[in-house]
Amino acid sequence: PRAIGASNTTAAFIRGYCKYGELDVIQEKYSLLTRRVEKQLLPTCKELGVSIQAYLRWDARSTNPTFLPSRRAQAIQLLDGWKDLTEKYDCTPAQLVIALTARMIPGLHVLCGARTPEQVLDNAGALNIKLDGADAVRMKWDVDAIS
């Protein structure tokens, strides 16, 4: 089976694609620190039955506001606050972030970057994490506090 997708788009373009043809999936930059998709695209995608696939573009770190020193410090503090959760779920911080990211938007497909086979295996370990509802809510509140 084939699927038709678009990348780095807008709600207006999504509507246009669906009006004149089929659109199965969009691929957009999305992470716990880059969440514009939730407000700008998710409502349109839900309405039209379009799936969302998330990625984070790692090659743009020097110009990406997400990676400014102050923002990085917030992210590190956030992860430090979740040490009890990495222990509870016997996972790495990366696995915990992947598990939460996948849960933030129902049906989200998360593309995880990796530079080594070990990172691929670590990322795949996120599939085994079943976050408790209370933990997911706590983590989302923590993320919302710095968003």
Side-chain angles (χ1 to χ4, degrees):
R2 293 183 173 196
I4 298 173
S7 184
N8 304 315
T9 190
T10 66
F13 279 121
I14 292 169
R15 288 191 181 286
Y17 296 143
C18 290
K19 180 178 179 182
Y20 297 107
E22 180 181 339
L23 183 64
D24 300 299
V25 63
I26 62 167
Q27 181 178 5
E28 295 292 324
K29 185 164 128 179
Y30 176 78
S31 73
L32 297 182
L33 301 178
T34 308
R35 297 171 54 197
R36 81 166 182 89
V37 168
E38 291 175 13
K39 290 182 182 173
Q40 295 178 8
L41 302 176
L42 180 59
T44 303
C45 288
K46 277 182 156 178
E47 174 189 338
L48 299 172
V50 176
S51 296
I52 300 173
Q53 184 168 293
Y55 76 90
L56 181 56
R57 183 178 296 153
W58 294 101
D59 59 346
R61 287 184 186 187
S62 63
T63 58
N64 186 327
T66 301
F67 295 104
L68 291 174
S70 60
R71 196 70 167 139
R72 285 179 48 88
Q74 286 179 316
I76 290 167
Q77 184 177 7
L78 181 78
L79 292 175
D80 286 345
W82 291 348
K83 284 187 178 177
D84 63 315
L85 296 174
T86 59
E87 291 172 11
K88 176 180 178 177
Y89 293 102
D90 190 27
C91 66
T92 65
Q95 291 170 336
L96 194 62
V97 167
I98 293 166
L100 179 63
T101 301
R103 188 178 170 128
M104 295 286 282
I105 297 176
L108 180 70
H109 307 283
V110 181
L111 296 176
C112 301
R115 295 176 191 236
T116 66
E118 292 78 19
Q119 288 175 335
V120 171
L121 293 173
D122 186 63
N123 290 345
L127 295 170
N128 299 319
I129 299 172
K130 304 293 183 235
L131 293 174
D132 290 342
D135 292 336
V137 168
R138 169 190 154 192
M139 293 168 69
K140 186 173 182 319
W141 282 344
D142 291 348
V143 170
D144 287 346
I146 66 168
S147 292

